[in-house]
Amino acid sequence: MTAPGALPISDGRLALSALLILVNVVLSGLLRLGLGRSLLLAASRMVVQLLLVGTVLEWLFRQHNPLTILLLGLVMASIAGVSAVQRTRARFAGIYANSLLSVLASSALITGLAVSGIIRPQPWFAPQYLIPLLGMVLGNTLNGISLGLDRLMEGLTSRREQVEARLSLGASRWEACLEVVRDAIRVGMIPTINSMMVMGLVSLPGMMTGQILQGATPAAAVRYQIVILFMIAAATALGVVGVVLLGYLGLTSREHQLRLDRLRTRT
Amino acid sequence: MPLLEAEGLARQLEGRLLWSDLGFRLEAGDRLGLVGPSGAGKTLLLRQLAWLDPLQRGRILLAGRSPSSWTLPVYRSRVAYLPQRAVAFAGTVEQNLRQVLSYASHRGQAYDAPRILGWLQQLGRGAGFLALAAERLSGGELQLLALLRALQLDPEILLLDEPTASLDPASTERVEALLHQWLARGQRACLLTSHDGAQIERFTGRRLSLTP
């Protein structure tokens, strides 16, 4: 693969860049932060994972079978669904299934709509478009889902007395949990809103930087960025609403009971 | 037919059997005192009757019908449970009272200001009480709010967990008088726990003893 525009980085210079991690290591040593080991581990993981992904993507971009690409998308979405749960502080039966379902449905719907309706690559499954876009959508949805789930579980636990007082006075489970559910959805969606707020002022997104280095005009790169942010906002909203509603259903019963006994705090 | 009937209830908590084959009937006008040492499961029994926890064994019938057949929100507005620690919702006392009436199960019931004011007067409070922020009420005042919030729904059964624990003797007497008056107004009954033996003696007609 030849990159038009961007200067290739040789192996020697790549190794040189790794020396930058010494800044972190030295600081950690001087200030006794105790981060030395995790820094080295994180840095090595980053390098290995990216080199691997580079190889995988090179192979992938030569594929012409839509099934292979969709399968890879499915694997990526599943990893996102599982990781979203792994960041939460408590668990309940079905939490993984809820997260997987929410991530898969929201990212498939939004990425599908955006790729087929807005970007329209030829062929429609062109991996150069589909895979990076899906990746960005998944990364953000994952974040929103884990925040929303965490807040839902925390909210139902800390406001248990209020929720049960409402139930005792004849509220349905929906009426009793509405405040907590709303709050959890809001918390899951806020990071996306905040990031749109400062986009371009504080942060220059990685993908835009990449496109510009590759020789795209900033004006063209910006257009991609706008589409992606709208995709992220929509997918995150759908994913968060889905996972919070499924979680609410799982932690209450058809008999309008709050079932915190189904909740297990991680030890 | 009894108002409320419980039969063959059993409850296990972390492997420990709190009670088994427990049953009783509440007829109109009954004031049943629930007594037993701490940890005997008095609160759990009240929660069970309010259907807040899954039923492990036995059955509960309100006017001969199971809670699910009433639908739980309707059942719970007819069998109102007041927890020991009264809970304030956001807003003023009046907003607390009105909010509860907005639930779908109370459709058709409107906020009855004269009735609330009458009750407040009986409890020795003025109309100013309605404008107080509920979350800043004292423990005793909160118990009064919780009682009014439930009474306005015209429940048939009250499940009262230490209803006057945070009240002074004078207010306790007023609450008991209000409860007697509510009982006399129709086919009603109540079940009550209290750490105050004198209150159990004075207020309840029969006792149900939970022994571990």
Side-chain angles (χ1 to χ4, degrees), chain B residues 1-7 23-30 32 59-66 70 75 78-79 156-157 187-189 206:
Chain B
M1 188 190 299
L3 285 179
L4 187 74
E5 187 178 1
E7 207 178 78
F24 63 88
R25 290 164 165 227
L26 281 181
E27 309 280 351
D30 264 350
L32 182 61
R59 60 176 193 163
I60 296 170
L61 298 175
L62 172 68
R65 287 168 56 189
S66 74
W70 284 104
Y75 172 82
R78 305 185 68 164
V79 181
E156 289 156 286
I157 312 281
Q187 299 281 306
R188 293 164 171 183
R206 296 190 289 137

Side-chain angles (χ1 to χ4, degrees), chain A residues 160-173 175-176 179 254-259 261, chain B residues 47 51-54 68 72-73 76 81 85 87-89 99-100 102-106 149-150 153:
Chain A
R160 170 183 184 167
E161 288 185 340
Q162 287 224 2
V163 170
E164 291 197 325
R166 290 201 163 92
L167 290 173
S168 306
L169 293 164
S172 66
R173 58 174 162 168
E175 287 165 330
E179 268 184 37
R254 280 163 195 260
E255 303 198 311
H256 303 274
Q257 292 159 330
L258 180 61
R259 296 294 304 271
D261 55 310
Chain B
R47 286 176 58 90
W51 215 258
L52 287 173
D53 298 319
S68 332
L72 269 301
R76 291 198 189 108
Y81 162 60
R85 261 172 49 140
V87 177
F89 305 143
Q99 189 187 60
V100 170
S102 71
Y103 302 149
S105 61
H106 309 315
R149 210 164 48 189
L153 306 176

Side-chain angles (χ1 to χ4, degrees), chain A residues 91-92 152-153 155-161 164 250-252 257-264:
Chain A
R91 297 287 157 77
F92 54 88
L152 176 76
M153 296 188 285
L156 289 178
T157 309
S158 67
R159 292 160 89 169
R160 170 183 184 167
E161 288 185 340
E164 291 197 325
L251 291 171
T252 54
Q257 292 159 330
L258 180 61
R259 296 294 304 271
L260 289 181
D261 55 310
R262 293 177 182 162
L263 210 54
R264 295 275 171 277

Side-chain angles (χ1 to χ4, degrees), chain B residues 36-54:
Chain B
S38 303
K42 299 189 290 291
T43 296
L44 283 178
L45 179 56
L46 294 182
R47 286 176 58 90
Q48 184 74 82
L49 295 171
W51 215 258
L52 287 173
D53 298 319

